[in-house]
Amino acid sequence: MKKYVMIFYLLACSLAAMAYISGNPGDRDVFRAYELRMSGQVDEAKALLLQVLDTDSTNAMAHYEMARLNFYLLTGGGGTRLEDVTAHISKAADLEPDNVIYAYYRAVSGFMNAFMFMQTGQEDKIKGAVDETCSLLRKVLLLKPDYYEPMLYLVEIYGMLPPEMGGDSAQAAHYAGKLSETNAYFGARAREVLAPEGTDLVKFWENEIAGNGRTPELLYRTAIAGILAGNPEVAEKYYNEVKSRDPSANLLQLQLGRYHMMKVMQNREIASTELPVAITCFEKYLQTLPEPVVPLKAYTLGLMARANMFLGNQEEGEKLQQQAAAIDKYFSKASGVPSQILFEPPDKICHHYFSFFSPF
Protein backbone atom coordinates (compact mmCIF):
# COMPACT_ATOMS: atom_id res chain seq x y z
CA MET A 1 0.00 0.00 0.00
CA LYS A 2 2.79 2.45 0.95
CA LYS A 3 4.43 1.86 -2.44
CA TYR A 4 1.25 2.99 -4.19
CA VAL A 5 0.87 6.04 -1.92
CA MET A 6 4.34 7.20 -3.01
CA ILE A 7 3.52 6.53 -6.68
CA PHE A 8 0.35 8.62 -6.39
CA TYR A 9 2.33 11.38 -4.62
CA LEU A 10 4.90 11.57 -7.40
CA LEU A 11 2.17 11.46 -10.05
CA ALA A 12 0.38 14.35 -8.34
CA CYS A 13 3.61 16.35 -8.32
CA SER A 14 4.10 15.61 -12.02
CA LEU A 15 0.58 16.69 -12.91
CA ALA A 16 0.93 19.87 -10.86
CA ALA A 17 4.19 20.60 -12.62
CA MET A 18 2.71 20.08 -16.07
CA ALA A 19 -0.23 22.33 -15.21
CA TYR A 20 2.10 25.08 -13.99
CA ILE A 21 4.70 25.08 -16.75
CA SER A 22 3.81 26.91 -19.91
CA GLY A 23 6.79 29.05 -20.83
CA ASN A 24 10.20 27.53 -20.10
CA PRO A 25 10.65 23.90 -21.21
CA GLY A 26 13.61 23.59 -18.83
CA ASP A 27 11.24 23.99 -15.87
CA ARG A 28 9.83 20.52 -16.58
CA ASP A 29 13.24 19.11 -15.80
CA VAL A 30 13.42 21.22 -12.64
CA PHE A 31 10.21 19.63 -11.41
CA ARG A 32 11.58 16.23 -12.35
CA ALA A 33 14.73 17.01 -10.34
CA TYR A 34 12.55 17.98 -7.38
CA GLU A 35 10.65 14.70 -7.65
CA LEU A 36 13.92 12.76 -7.80
CA ARG A 37 15.21 14.50 -4.66
CA MET A 38 11.96 13.85 -2.84
CA SER A 39 12.23 10.16 -3.72
CA GLY A 40 15.79 9.93 -2.34
CA GLN A 41 17.62 10.10 -5.67
CA VAL A 42 19.62 13.21 -4.85
CA ASP A 43 22.64 12.55 -7.09
CA GLU A 44 20.34 12.05 -10.07
CA ALA A 45 18.48 15.25 -9.18
CA LYS A 46 21.71 17.23 -9.04
CA ALA A 47 22.90 15.84 -12.37
CA LEU A 48 19.64 16.85 -14.00
CA LEU A 49 19.78 20.37 -12.57
CA LEU A 50 23.38 20.79 -13.76
CA GLN A 51 22.21 19.76 -17.21
CA VAL A 52 19.40 22.33 -17.13
CA LEU A 53 21.76 25.10 -16.02
CA ASP A 54 24.37 24.09 -18.59
CA THR A 55 21.71 24.54 -21.26
CA ASP A 56 20.29 27.75 -19.77
CA SER A 57 22.19 29.46 -16.96
CA THR A 58 19.35 31.99 -16.60
CA ASN A 59 16.76 29.44 -15.44
CA ALA A 60 15.80 30.95 -12.10
CA MET A 61 13.77 27.96 -10.94
CA ALA A 62 16.74 25.66 -11.55
CA HIS A 63 18.96 27.91 -9.42
CA TYR A 64 16.34 27.88 -6.65
CA GLU A 65 16.04 24.10 -6.70
CA MET A 66 19.84 23.76 -6.79
CA ALA A 67 20.07 26.00 -3.73
CA ARG A 68 17.64 23.79 -1.82
CA LEU A 69 19.36 20.61 -3.00
CA ASN A 70 22.75 21.98 -1.91
CA PHE A 71 21.39 22.80 1.52
CA TYR A 72 19.96 19.29 1.79
CA LEU A 73 23.39 17.90 0.88
CA LEU A 74 24.96 20.21 3.47
CA THR A 75 22.93 18.61 6.26
CA GLY A 76 23.49 15.09 4.89
CA GLY A 77 27.25 15.05 4.45
CA GLY A 78 27.11 15.66 0.72
CA GLY A 79 30.19 17.87 0.53
CA THR A 80 28.49 21.21 -0.13
CA ARG A 81 28.97 24.51 1.69
CA LEU A 82 26.57 27.27 2.67
CA GLU A 83 28.12 29.37 -0.09
CA ASP A 84 26.80 26.81 -2.60
CA VAL A 85 23.32 27.55 -1.29
CA THR A 86 23.52 31.34 -1.18
CA ALA A 87 25.16 31.65 -4.61
CA HIS A 88 22.31 29.84 -6.36
CA ILE A 89 19.43 31.43 -4.47
CA SER A 90 20.95 34.89 -4.99
CA LYS A 91 21.14 34.17 -8.70
CA ALA A 92 17.50 33.00 -8.78
CA ALA A 93 16.31 36.12 -6.93
CA ASP A 94 18.37 38.42 -9.15
CA LEU A 95 16.99 36.79 -12.30
CA GLU A 96 13.39 37.13 -11.10
CA PRO A 97 13.33 39.96 -8.54
CA ASP A 98 9.52 39.92 -8.35
CA ASN A 99 9.33 36.23 -7.42
CA VAL A 100 8.44 36.09 -3.73
CA ILE A 101 9.37 32.38 -3.44
CA TYR A 102 12.99 33.09 -4.32
CA ALA A 103 13.10 36.31 -2.30
CA TYR A 104 11.92 34.48 0.83
CA TYR A 105 14.41 31.63 0.54
CA ARG A 106 17.18 34.14 -0.10
CA ALA A 107 16.30 35.93 3.14
CA VAL A 108 16.11 32.70 5.14
CA SER A 109 19.45 31.58 3.71
CA GLY A 110 20.89 34.96 4.67
CA PHE A 111 20.10 34.36 8.31
CA MET A 112 21.63 30.89 8.08
CA ASN A 113 24.82 32.75 7.20
CA ALA A 114 24.45 34.98 10.26
CA PHE A 115 23.69 31.96 12.42
CA MET A 116 26.89 30.27 11.25
CA PHE A 117 28.86 33.36 12.28
CA MET A 118 27.23 33.13 15.73
CA GLN A 119 28.08 29.46 16.06
CA THR A 120 31.71 29.95 15.02
CA GLY A 121 32.29 33.07 17.13
CA GLN A 122 32.90 35.44 14.21
CA GLU A 123 31.45 38.35 16.13
CA ASP A 124 32.69 41.02 13.74
CA LYS A 125 30.53 39.57 10.94
CA ILE A 126 27.29 38.91 12.79
CA LYS A 127 25.66 42.35 12.75
CA GLY A 128 26.33 42.91 9.06
CA ALA A 129 24.80 39.55 8.17
CA VAL A 130 21.78 40.18 10.42
CA ASP A 131 21.21 43.64 8.94
CA GLU A 132 21.38 42.16 5.44
CA THR A 133 18.90 39.44 6.39
CA CYS A 134 16.42 41.96 7.77
CA SER A 135 16.78 44.06 4.62
CA LEU A 136 16.01 40.96 2.51
CA LEU A 137 12.98 40.13 4.67
CA ARG A 138 11.62 43.64 4.22
CA LYS A 139 12.01 43.22 0.46
CA VAL A 140 9.89 40.07 0.67
CA LEU A 141 7.17 42.09 2.37
CA LEU A 142 7.29 44.68 -0.40
CA LEU A 143 6.43 41.87 -2.81
CA LYS A 144 3.78 40.32 -0.55
CA PRO A 145 2.68 42.56 2.33
CA ASP A 146 0.45 39.86 3.86
CA TYR A 147 3.26 37.28 4.06
CA TYR A 148 3.22 36.56 7.78
CA GLU A 149 6.22 34.23 8.05
CA PRO A 150 8.90 36.79 7.04
CA MET A 151 7.20 39.31 9.33
CA LEU A 152 7.51 36.86 12.22
CA TYR A 153 11.20 36.37 11.40
CA LEU A 154 11.68 40.11 11.77
CA VAL A 155 10.00 39.97 15.19
CA GLU A 156 12.21 37.07 16.24
CA ILE A 157 15.49 38.48 14.92
CA TYR A 158 14.93 42.03 16.13
CA GLY A 159 13.42 40.89 19.42
CA MET A 160 15.78 38.11 20.47
CA LEU A 161 19.19 39.48 19.46
CA PRO A 162 21.03 42.16 21.43
CA PRO A 163 21.65 45.52 19.68
CA GLU A 164 25.30 44.72 19.01
CA MET A 165 24.14 41.76 16.92
CA GLY A 166 21.43 43.67 15.08
CA GLY A 167 18.56 43.45 17.56
CA ASP A 168 16.11 46.33 17.77
CA SER A 169 13.26 46.17 20.29
CA ALA A 170 11.35 49.01 18.64
CA GLN A 171 11.37 47.24 15.28
CA ALA A 172 10.34 43.98 16.94
CA ALA A 173 7.38 45.72 18.58
CA HIS A 174 6.47 47.38 15.26
CA TYR A 175 6.23 44.11 13.34
CA ALA A 176 4.55 42.32 16.25
CA GLY A 177 1.90 45.04 16.20
CA LYS A 178 1.36 44.62 12.47
CA LEU A 179 0.91 40.87 12.91
CA SER A 180 -1.55 41.36 15.75
CA GLU A 181 -3.59 43.72 13.56
CA THR A 182 -3.76 41.34 10.59
CA ASN A 183 -3.68 37.71 11.83
CA ALA A 184 -4.70 36.37 15.24
CA TYR A 185 -2.47 33.30 15.13
CA PHE A 186 0.69 35.04 13.94
CA GLY A 187 -0.02 37.91 16.29
CA ALA A 188 0.04 35.39 19.13
CA ARG A 189 3.25 33.87 17.77
CA ALA A 190 4.82 37.34 17.82
CA ARG A 191 3.67 37.97 21.40
CA GLU A 192 5.12 34.59 22.40
CA VAL A 193 8.51 35.60 20.97
CA LEU A 194 8.48 38.85 22.95
CA ALA A 195 7.04 37.39 26.16
CA PRO A 196 9.20 37.91 29.29
CA GLU A 197 11.54 35.10 30.26
CA GLY A 198 9.79 32.66 32.56
CA THR A 199 6.37 33.07 30.95
CA ASP A 200 4.22 29.95 31.29
CA LEU A 201 3.84 29.26 27.56
CA VAL A 202 1.38 26.41 28.02
CA LYS A 203 -0.93 28.80 29.88
CA PHE A 204 -0.20 31.48 27.27
CA TRP A 205 -1.45 29.25 24.44
CA GLU A 206 -4.34 27.87 26.47
CA ASN A 207 -5.49 31.46 26.91
CA GLU A 208 -5.25 31.93 23.14
CA ILE A 209 -7.40 28.83 22.67
CA ALA A 210 -9.95 30.18 25.15
CA GLY A 211 -10.17 33.43 23.22
CA ASN A 212 -9.95 32.19 19.64
CA GLY A 213 -11.19 28.60 19.59
CA ARG A 214 -9.60 25.16 19.33
CA THR A 215 -8.00 25.60 15.92
CA PRO A 216 -5.30 23.12 14.81
CA GLU A 217 -2.68 25.90 14.76
CA LEU A 218 -3.32 26.94 18.35
CA LEU A 219 -3.52 23.34 19.57
CA TYR A 220 -0.23 22.58 17.82
CA ARG A 221 1.55 25.50 19.47
CA THR A 222 0.19 24.47 22.87
CA ALA A 223 1.64 21.00 22.30
CA ILE A 224 5.00 22.55 21.38
CA ALA A 225 4.81 24.68 24.53
CA GLY A 226 4.34 21.45 26.48
CA ILE A 227 7.52 20.05 24.96
CA LEU A 228 9.48 23.21 25.72
CA ALA A 229 8.17 23.14 29.30
CA GLY A 230 9.37 19.56 29.71
CA ASN A 231 5.82 18.28 29.99
CA PRO A 232 5.31 15.53 27.36
CA GLU A 233 1.91 14.63 28.85
CA VAL A 234 0.57 18.07 27.90
CA ALA A 235 2.20 17.76 24.48
CA GLU A 236 0.61 14.34 23.89
CA LYS A 237 -2.79 15.61 25.00
CA TYR A 238 -2.84 18.49 22.57
CA TYR A 239 -1.19 16.51 19.80
CA ASN A 240 -3.95 13.91 19.96
CA GLU A 241 -6.52 16.65 19.59
CA VAL A 242 -4.61 18.21 16.69
CA LYS A 243 -4.54 14.85 14.91
CA SER A 244 -8.28 14.40 15.39
CA ARG A 245 -8.86 17.74 13.65
CA ASP A 246 -6.01 17.69 11.11
CA PRO A 247 -4.61 14.23 10.26
CA SER A 248 -1.78 15.80 8.25
CA ALA A 249 -0.27 17.36 11.40
CA ASN A 250 1.89 14.32 12.11
CA LEU A 251 5.24 16.12 12.48
CA LEU A 252 4.66 16.69 16.17
CA GLN A 253 5.00 12.94 16.75
CA LEU A 254 8.56 13.21 15.40
CA GLN A 255 9.23 16.23 17.62
CA LEU A 256 8.10 14.28 20.69
CA GLY A 257 10.71 11.64 19.90
CA ARG A 258 13.37 14.33 19.53
CA TYR A 259 12.38 15.74 22.91
CA HIS A 260 13.14 12.44 24.62
CA MET A 261 16.47 12.16 22.77
CA MET A 262 17.43 15.69 23.77
CA LYS A 263 16.78 14.85 27.42
CA VAL A 264 19.41 12.13 27.11
CA MET A 265 21.86 14.59 25.55
CA GLN A 266 21.52 16.62 28.74
CA ASN A 267 21.63 13.63 31.10
CA ARG A 268 23.01 10.32 29.83
CA GLU A 269 21.97 8.51 32.98
CA ILE A 270 18.32 8.48 31.86
CA ALA A 271 19.06 6.89 28.49
CA SER A 272 17.61 3.49 29.44
CA THR A 273 14.20 5.03 30.14
CA GLU A 274 14.05 7.93 27.66
CA LEU A 275 15.46 6.40 24.49
CA PRO A 276 12.94 3.53 24.28
CA VAL A 277 10.19 6.16 24.54
CA ALA A 278 11.88 8.16 21.77
CA ILE A 279 12.07 5.08 19.55
CA THR A 280 8.37 4.39 20.12
CA CYS A 281 7.55 7.97 19.08
CA PHE A 282 9.61 7.57 15.92
CA GLU A 283 7.93 4.27 15.09
CA LYS A 284 4.51 5.89 15.50
CA TYR A 285 5.55 8.77 13.25
CA LEU A 286 6.62 6.37 10.49
CA GLN A 287 3.22 4.70 10.68
CA THR A 288 1.19 7.92 10.40
CA LEU A 289 -0.85 8.91 7.38
CA PRO A 290 -0.26 10.76 5.19
CA GLU A 291 2.98 8.82 4.94
CA PRO A 292 6.09 10.90 5.72
CA VAL A 293 8.07 11.96 2.66
CA VAL A 294 11.24 9.98 1.92
CA PRO A 295 13.72 12.58 3.29
CA LEU A 296 11.89 12.68 6.64
CA LYS A 297 11.41 8.92 6.70
CA ALA A 298 15.16 8.40 6.24
CA TYR A 299 15.95 11.10 8.82
CA THR A 300 13.70 9.36 11.36
CA LEU A 301 15.30 5.97 10.70
CA GLY A 302 18.65 7.65 11.28
CA LEU A 303 17.50 8.94 14.67
CA MET A 304 16.25 5.46 15.58
CA ALA A 305 19.64 4.04 14.57
CA ARG A 306 21.46 6.49 16.85
CA ALA A 307 19.15 5.75 19.76
CA ASN A 308 19.60 1.99 19.39
CA MET A 309 23.38 2.25 19.15
CA PHE A 310 23.47 4.42 22.26
CA LEU A 311 21.49 1.72 24.08
CA GLY A 312 24.02 -0.88 22.97
CA ASN A 313 21.78 -2.43 20.32
CA GLN A 314 24.52 -2.23 17.72
CA GLU A 315 23.08 -4.76 15.28
CA GLU A 316 19.64 -3.13 15.26
CA GLY A 317 21.23 0.31 14.96
CA GLU A 318 23.32 -0.69 11.96
CA LYS A 319 20.28 -2.29 10.33
CA LEU A 320 18.28 0.93 10.70
CA GLN A 321 21.22 2.98 9.45
CA GLN A 322 21.36 0.83 6.32
CA GLN A 323 17.60 1.17 5.81
CA ALA A 324 17.88 4.95 6.02
CA ALA A 325 20.78 5.10 3.56
CA ALA A 326 19.03 2.70 1.20
CA ILE A 327 16.13 5.10 0.64
CA ASP A 328 18.14 8.34 0.85
CA LYS A 329 21.91 8.23 1.39
CA TYR A 330 22.01 11.99 2.02
CA PHE A 331 19.39 12.02 4.78
CA SER A 332 19.94 14.83 7.25
CA LYS A 333 22.40 14.17 10.08
CA ALA A 334 21.44 17.40 11.85
CA SER A 335 19.76 17.26 15.24
CA GLY A 336 16.84 19.43 14.15
CA VAL A 337 14.07 18.25 11.86
CA PRO A 338 14.75 19.38 8.27
CA SER A 339 12.73 22.47 7.41
CA GLN A 340 9.59 21.95 5.36
CA ILE A 341 10.80 24.78 3.12
CA LEU A 342 13.00 22.17 1.44
CA PHE A 343 10.08 19.96 0.51
CA GLU A 344 7.52 22.27 -1.07
CA PRO A 345 7.19 22.09 -4.89
CA PRO A 346 9.43 24.71 -6.53
CA ASP A 347 6.47 26.85 -7.66
CA LYS A 348 4.78 27.05 -4.25
CA ILE A 349 5.06 29.84 -1.69
CA CYS A 350 6.23 28.34 1.58
CA HIS A 351 4.15 28.90 4.71
CA HIS A 352 6.14 26.66 7.03
CA TYR A 353 7.93 28.58 9.78
CA PHE A 354 10.89 27.29 11.73
CA SER A 355 12.68 29.16 14.47
CA PHE A 356 16.44 29.67 14.49
CA PHE A 357 16.27 30.19 18.26
CA SER A 358 14.18 27.20 19.39
CA PRO A 359 14.79 23.44 19.02
CA PHE A 360 11.09 22.87 18.25
Side-chain angles (χ1 to χ4, degrees):
M1 178 65 182
K2 290 185 176 180
K3 175 182 177 182
Y4 295 113
V5 170
M6 179 53 66
I7 290 172
F8 291 145
Y9 168 78
L10 292 176
L11 178 60
C13 288
S14 297
L15 292 174
M18 294 303 293
Y20 167 76
I21 296 164
S22 58
N24 190 345
D27 288 351
R28 291 186 178 86
D29 286 331
V30 176
F31 270 89
R32 177 58 184 154
Y34 162 75
E35 292 166 3
L36 286 168
R37 177 168 65 84
M38 292 298 290
S39 66
Q41 301 176 71
V42 184
D43 285 329
E44 293 84 350
K46 186 170 186 177
L48 183 54
L49 287 173
L50 288 171
Q51 181 181 320
V52 172
L53 290 171
D54 185 56
T55 302
D56 179 10
S57 63
T58 65
N59 187 310
M61 186 185 286
H63 281 290
Y64 170 59
E65 183 57 26
M66 184 66 87
R68 296 198 298 172
L69 184 146
N70 281 334
F71 187 79
Y72 190 69
L73 287 173
L74 178 65
T75 64
T80 57
R81 304 168 302 163
L82 189 56
E83 290 86 346
D84 299 318
V85 179
T86 55
H88 279 287
I89 190 54
S90 295
K91 183 70 172 177
D94 287 343
L95 286 166
E96 294 188 12
D98 294 333
N99 189 309
V100 72
I101 299 171
Y102 308 155
Y104 180 57
Y105 193 59
R106 185 182 199 175
V108 172
S109 299
F111 193 73
M112 289 173 187
N113 213 22
F115 191 74
M116 291 294 289
F117 292 146
M118 295 176 198
Q119 295 298 302
T120 55
Q122 300 181 65
E123 297 181 4
D124 58 320
K125 297 180 179 180
I126 295 173
K127 189 176 186 302
V130 169
D131 288 346
E132 175 65 16
T133 298
C134 292
S135 175
L136 291 171
L137 287 166
R138 289 194 295 270
K139 287 181 180 178
V140 176
L141 294 175
L142 288 176
L143 296 173
K144 184 173 171 56
D146 64 344
Y147 201 167
Y148 303 126
E149 287 81 4
M151 211 178 299
L152 184 57
Y153 272 123
L154 286 168
V155 174
E156 188 174 66
I157 293 169
Y158 280 133
M160 299 192 73
L161 292 178
E164 61 270 21
M165 288 187 179
D168 186 326
S169 58
Q171 286 293 322
H174 167 71
Y175 285 106
K178 291 188 70 171
L179 282 171
S180 292
E181 291 170 3
T182 54
N183 185 279
Y185 170 68
F186 278 95
R189 288 290 303 267
R191 291 193 298 276
E192 177 191 30
V193 169
L194 301 181
E197 188 174 349
T199 296
D200 184 335
L201 293 180
V202 172
K203 186 175 181 180
F204 173 92
W205 284 106
E206 287 179 336
N207 287 339
E208 291 296 324
I209 290 171
N212 297 287
R214 308 187 77 79
T215 67
E217 295 83 3
L218 293 177
L219 294 166
Y220 193 98
R221 287 310 303 175
T222 312
I224 291 293
I227 293 177
L228 293 171
N231 194 330
E233 291 79 14
V234 167
E236 287 274 10
K237 170 189 169 184
Y238 283 99
Y239 170 59
N240 289 333
E241 188 172 352
V242 171
K243 282 290 289 180
S244 70
R245 294 168 180 267
D246 180 9
S248 68
N250 56 0
L251 201 60
L252 191 55
Q253 186 69 64
L254 177 56
Q255 300 286 26
L256 283 165
R258 284 187 59 242
Y259 162 76
H260 291 286
M261 283 194 76
M262 290 181 69
K263 286 183 69 176
V264 176
M265 291 170 62
Q266 297 167 350
N267 181 5
R268 291 178 171 235
E269 293 181 2
I270 60 175
S272 61
T273 56
E274 291 296 322
L275 290 182
V277 178
I279 292 170
T280 298
C281 289
F282 297 144
E283 290 173 339
K284 287 181 178 179
Y285 171 66
L286 292 175
Q287 294 165 5
T288 57
L289 292 175
E291 183 179 2
V293 295
V294 167
L296 288 179
K297 187 186 299 183
Y299 167 76
T300 304
L301 289 168
L303 291 180
M304 291 172 65
R306 275 190 262 172
N308 272 280
M309 289 178 181
F310 196 94
L311 288 170
N313 304 327
Q314 193 69 23
E315 184 176 346
E316 178 66 14
E318 290 176 358
K319 176 184 173 183
L320 289 164
Q321 189 79 10
Q322 291 168 3
Q323 288 178 10
I327 61 174
D328 186 347
K329 67 179 180 180
Y330 295 114
F331 69 89
S332 176
K333 313 304 188 298
S335 59
V337 175
S339 169
Q340 298 298 296
I341 197 172
L342 297 176
F343 306 140
E344 293 284 17
D347 65 328
K348 185 175 180 180
I349 294 175
C350 181
H351 289 288
H352 298 284
Y353 183 86
F354 68 97
S355 172
F356 287 101
F357 299 95
S358 173
F360 300 101

